[in-house]
Amino acid sequence: MPTTSAKMAPVSSLQHAALRAGLELHLPGAAAPRGRCDWPGPEPNQRRGGGQRCRRCSARRRPAAGGKMAPGARPWRRLSVLVPHPPAGSRLLLLLLFLLLLCGQLGGGQKKKENLLAEKVEQLMEWSSRRSVIRMNGDKFRRFVKAPPRNYSVIVMFTALQPQRQCSVCRQANEEYQVLANSWRYSSAFSNKLFFTIVDYDEGADVFQQLNMNSAPTFMHFPPKGKPKRADTFDLQRIGFAAEQLAKWIADRTDVHIRVFRPPNYSGTIALALLVSLVGGLLYLRRNNLEFIYNKTGWAMAALCVVFAMTSGQMWNHIRGPPYAHKNPQNGQVSYIHGSSQAQFVAESHIILLLNAAITMGMVLLNEAATSKGDVGKRRIICLVGLGLVVFFFSFLLSIFRSKYHGYPYSFLIK
């Protein structure tokens, strides 16, 4: 190997890559990697300053005063390799060899990602085969929902289903969510592009804290790439949590169309059949005297019952499923009237129903006192009772209205 006519070459990243791959690659114009030079036999150096230079590399060892190395001094200042310039064909061959090694490393990293993605999809498919909605804790959520790689969409329901949470809305929303997930699982279009999961607060409180979430239930869509946007959060307050509405929202976010199949429910049919049977039985028993059908008072009472039920908020209770009342965990005080105009308790609807019935009864008594032709004293008593019912209960009703609509300026007796 020449030691005088060969050119010096600095170390390059190509040579380091070849060394990591287990090959000893010497390129022209590249310095040797750092290490110990064990080329046998130094020869005297004739340059100014003395010392010795290795015949293989240009590193010089400078002695200290007296011909000995100074304590703590580095024995070699610089390490480089003298490599002769190979022919052009050899350089091209070495370059091709390095490119092959580099492609192999890149291909290995890509293959590792593909294997990880395949394991995640396989695991999710296995869980989906057992149940349509996959329950997740914090670790599973971060691994299968947040962490890449991911080529599938995930619908997550954040909820609180434990009995001590007393979230009736969560239970009803979970029933609709189960219907939607079952419809997707048993449909012919089922694939590994969409998964339904659920995170309960008592099993993944860290997930709620990570997402700054303080309400339940909440539905979110996590796309295959990137972070969720604002539209990836389902507007539960405005749309509701019906399975059909959720399916429409999922189709807008993922282009996956789910046809909702509800299990047959015969409770309404049975109740209707019992009601028809009861009415039919009463009509059969009174078949010789059906004058009560033409009784205006009976029809008026039935109409009032329907009006009271609708104006008290019973339909809202059926749709939203609020709790009957609220008990403050700090002082144990029970509230029957909700403090906001956007919600109510079941007990509140019952109170409103009774107030409306009392006011209506007072109006009926006032009308009876004015139109009847009985004793004047009796008519006067009926008038006073009716007036008292109207004034008292209407004042109480108006006070409830003021407590829910803060800032309402008018009052009537009771504040």
Side-chain angles (χ1 to χ4, degrees):
M1 179 177 182
T3 59
T4 58
S5 61
K7 296 182 179 180
M8 303 230 0
V11 175
S12 65
S13 60
L14 303 180
Q15 193 173 7
H16 279 298
L19 290 174
R20 287 195 301 269
L23 300 176
E24 186 177 358
L25 178 63
H26 297 282
L27 297 178
R34 292 186 177 273
R36 181 178 178 183
C37 180
D38 56 356
W39 187 269
E43 64 179 6
N45 181 27
Q46 302 300 328
R47 292 186 179 183
R48 183 180 178 180
Q52 294 179 343
R53 181 186 297 276
C54 180
R55 290 183 300 177
R56 181 179 182 184
C57 64
S58 61
R60 178 189 302 148
R61 181 165 62 183
R62 184 187 300 274
K68 296 182 179 180
M69 294 293 295
R74 295 181 60 184
W76 302 99
R77 292 193 306 164
R78 184 167 56 88
L79 183 63
S80 60
V81 178
L82 299 178
V83 182
H85 286 273
S90 300
R91 284 183 289 178
L92 181 60
L93 181 61
L94 293 175
L95 182 60
L96 291 177
L97 178 61
F98 172 73
L99 291 178
L100 289 176
L101 292 174
L102 185 60
C103 292
Q105 292 181 356
L106 295 177
Q110 184 67 23
K111 187 175 181 180
K112 184 178 180 180
K113 289 183 179 180
E114 293 178 356
N115 292 337
L116 179 60
L117 178 60
E119 291 178 0
K120 293 171 66 174
V121 174
E122 182 180 0
Q123 183 65 65
L124 289 173
M125 291 295 292
E126 181 182 354
W127 288 336
S128 297
S129 63
R130 299 176 184 176
R131 56 178 61 185
S132 56
V133 178
I134 304 172
R135 298 189 68 90
M136 287 193 170
N137 53 20
D139 296 335
K140 291 181 180 179
F141 177 82
R142 284 183 287 270
R143 179 184 176 188
F144 293 95
V145 180
K146 295 286 290 185
R150 191 175 70 249
N151 63 349
Y152 49 84
S153 296
V154 183
I155 306 298
V156 184
M157 176 184 177
F158 299 93
T159 184
L161 296 175
Q162 296 300 323
Q164 63 270 18
R165 301 298 175 184
Q166 297 182 357
C167 183
S168 58
V169 181
C170 295
R171 292 191 294 270
Q172 295 182 5
N174 181 59
E175 293 177 359
E176 293 293 317
Y177 191 61
Q178 294 286 344
V179 170
L180 178 61
N182 288 325
S183 300
W184 167 244
R185 178 186 176 187
Y186 296 107
S187 67
S188 59
F190 176 75
S191 66
N192 57 4
K193 298 300 181 182
L194 179 64
F195 296 98
F196 289 88
T197 63
I198 186 171
V199 177
D200 193 273
Y201 180 79
D202 295 282
E203 299 176 1
D206 53 340
V207 179
F208 280 75
Q209 296 176 1
Q210 180 182 356
L211 299 177
N212 296 325
M213 192 173 300
N214 54 10
S215 63
T218 301
F219 298 93
M220 288 187 64
H221 165 245
F222 290 85
K225 295 181 181 179
K227 297 181 179 180
K229 301 179 181 178
R230 183 176 181 180
D232 289 315
T233 301
F234 184 69
D235 192 353
L236 184 67
Q237 297 294 333
R238 185 176 63 88
I239 304 177
F241 49 77
E244 289 78 9
Q245 298 296 334
L246 287 170
K248 184 179 179 180
W249 169 68
I250 292 174
D252 295 337
R253 305 309 304 166
T254 64
D255 292 333
V256 175
H257 298 273
I258 304 176
R259 184 179 178 183
V260 178
F261 294 95
R262 293 185 177 275
N265 186 4
Y266 302 103
S267 58
T269 305
I270 295 175
L272 181 61
L274 291 176
L275 180 61
V276 172
S277 301
L278 180 62
V279 173
L282 291 176
L283 293 177
Y284 179 77
L285 294 176
R286 299 290 301 271
R287 61 184 181 276
N288 296 328
N289 186 10
L290 298 178
E291 295 180 358
F292 69 94
I293 297 180
Y294 305 99
N295 189 347
K296 296 180 181 181
T297 304
W299 286 108
M301 295 297 294
L304 284 176
C305 292
V306 175
V307 171
F308 293 157
M310 294 302 173
T311 56
S312 62
Q314 293 296 328
M315 187 59 65
W316 193 93
N317 294 338
H318 180 72
I319 296 174
R320 297 298 182 89
Y324 187 82
H326 175 70
K327 184 178 181 180
N328 193 331
Q330 298 179 355
N331 53 21
Q333 183 179 2
V334 180
S335 300
Y336 298 100
I337 306 296
H338 199 283
S340 173
S341 61
Q342 303 297 323
Q344 70 176 12
F345 299 132
V346 176
E348 181 179 342
S349 63
H350 294 167
I351 294 174
I352 299 300
L353 188 149
L354 294 177
L355 291 178
N356 289 334
I359 295 171
T360 303
M361 181 60 67
M363 298 297 294
V364 170
L365 292 178
L366 288 176
N367 181 71
E368 184 69 18
T371 57
S372 64
K373 297 180 181 181
D375 184 39
V376 176
K378 184 178 179 180
R379 292 168 56 189
R380 186 176 299 172
I381 294 175
I382 294 176
C383 179
L384 291 176
V385 172
L387 184 61
L389 290 175
V390 172
V391 171
F392 179 79
F393 288 106
F394 184 77
S395 177
F396 191 48
L397 182 65
L398 189 59
S399 65
I400 296 177
F401 181 81
R402 292 184 65 209
S403 66
K404 295 182 68 67
Y405 291 86
H406 303 284
Y408 187 75
Y410 305 106
S411 62
F412 189 71
L413 295 182
I414 299 178
K415 298 184 179 179

